[in-house]
Amino acid sequence: MRILSIQSCVSFGHVGNSAAVFPLQRLGHEVMPVHTVVFSNHTGYGDWGGQLISGDVVRDIVRGIDERGGLADVELVLSGYQGGNDIGDAILDAVALVKQRNPRALYACDPVLGSATSGCFVAPEVQSLIRDRVVPQADLITPNQFELGFITGTDPHTLEETLASADQVRAVGPATVLVTSVFRPDRPADTIEMLAVCDEGAWIVQTPQLPFKRNGSGDVASALFSSHFRASGDAPSALGRTAASVYELLANTYAAETLELQLVESQEAYVAPVRTFEVRQVR
């Protein structure tokens, strides 16, 4: 599968394209990364070197790919963190061009807005861009539970509330929703869940919750689920494979006591994770 991935890039560590590209390549996909920022490291460290890439530069790179015929067989477009309106517009322009070349292409958007612990950390204009313009154009979105609530103006906690919020956002555009972290109050202690909702139904998978967080794991989850779903069209299978891979990646990182994901060291987790987790249909 050929994938166009328009995301941030860091030299040290693994977020954005620096998290998504290698697992996809390890699965055998041909990935064309287009970077929206080129930084030394992710901004959670407090300082960094590098620069933002303008929307015009992103358009120019996509134009060059198109002139080589590189968009004709793209089956999946990925996007993640969007630092400003110009990047968002450039991504939407790229999606439109890809779909002109291949109407079967799927656009998967990770609507990066924030988390329940940190709140919303993007500028107000980016919030509006993602909620009002980007999400309706997406075929698949991969928000966390907080982001799902922000997009829909809801505050989901229970499974029923989360399903209702997913249905609400599906009504405005994206047919498929992966909620990457569900914290329902009645779940067993020390567990975390992912929920996939599409036209065919809804499924949930539960894994142990490790007592730490590392930047980039959501980028990996979004990339893996989107590629598995685009390849198979099977949401529960894509959900189970993604949960197993991401859990193993995080477990390896936790065991190594490193500040960055053990992305390369965990490469077998993307193709043959050692554990599997039950995927349960909830609707």
Side-chain angles (χ1 to χ4, degrees):
M1 182 192 311
R2 186 180 294 272
I3 299 171
L4 181 67
S5 183
I6 310 176
Q7 302 193 56
S8 58
C9 172
V10 296
S11 297
F12 176 83
H14 302 290
V15 298
N17 271 335
S18 303
V21 171
F22 176 71
L24 292 171
Q25 291 173 328
R26 187 65 181 81
L27 285 166
H29 301 305
E30 183 66 52
V31 188
M32 299 185 295
V34 178
H35 303 323
T36 56
V37 307
V38 181
F39 285 169
S40 56
N41 50 270
H42 70 70
T43 58
Y45 283 97
D47 63 88
W48 60 92
Q51 63 180 0
L52 298 167
I53 306 299
S54 72
D56 285 341
V57 170
V58 170
R59 287 187 184 89
D60 200 40
I61 293 170
V62 174
R63 176 196 57 77
I65 295 171
D66 186 44
E67 290 178 354
R68 308 286 84 74
L71 300 184
D73 58 348
V74 168
E75 296 186 47
L76 176 64
V77 181
L78 296 174
S79 73
Y81 174 76
Q82 299 182 23
N85 280 349
D86 65 333
I87 290 295
D89 288 333
I91 290 171
L92 290 177
D93 288 346
V95 170
L97 183 57
V98 167
K99 291 196 171 191
Q100 285 180 24
R101 303 295 184 254
N102 179 15
R104 294 180 61 254
L106 182 148
Y107 171 37
C109 169
D110 185 4
V112 180
L113 293 163
S115 69
T117 53
S118 65
C120 200
F121 53 62
V122 300
E125 62 269 19
V126 177
Q127 299 170 23
S128 300
L129 169 76
I130 291 174
R131 182 186 62 236
D132 301 331
R133 295 171 53 204
V134 176
V135 166
Q137 295 298 316
D139 301 296
L140 186 162
I141 61 170
T142 59
N144 59 39
Q145 197 170 21
F146 168 83
E147 291 163 340
L148 176 64
F150 188 93
I151 291 167
T152 56
T154 61
D155 186 24
H157 293 282
T158 67
L159 176 59
E160 292 72 21
E161 290 168 346
T162 307
L163 285 166
S165 297
D167 287 341
Q168 184 175 330
V169 75
R170 290 177 66 244
V172 303
T176 304
V177 177
L178 172 72
V179 188
T180 57
S181 53
V182 177
F183 296 98
R184 57 189 176 102
D186 57 341
R187 76 190 191 281
D190 301 320
T191 64
I192 187 172
E193 296 168 316
M194 287 198 288
L195 173 72
V197 185
C198 63
D199 291 342
E200 290 71 31
W203 295 265
I204 199 164
V205 62
Q206 186 178 96
T207 66
Q209 182 182 9
L210 296 164
F212 82 136
K213 182 183 182 301
R214 288 295 179 266
N215 293 77
S217 59
D219 301 321
V220 175
S222 178
L224 292 178
F225 180 84
S226 299
S227 63
H228 291 324
F229 182 73
R230 180 65 187 87
S232 69
D234 188 322
S237 172
L239 179 63
R241 293 182 67 183
T242 300
S245 296
V246 172
Y247 174 76
E248 188 168 325
L249 167 64
L250 287 172
N252 291 344
T253 303
Y254 182 67
E257 299 182 341
T258 57
L259 292 176
E260 294 288 345
L261 292 174
Q262 294 282 284
L263 192 83
V264 177
E265 295 85 349
S266 301
Q267 60 183 283
E268 289 304 313
Y270 316 131
V271 293
V274 296
R275 291 186 63 176
T276 59
F277 299 94
E278 179 188 7
V279 176
R280 181 168 60 91
Q281 187 163 11
V282 292
R283 193 174 65 195

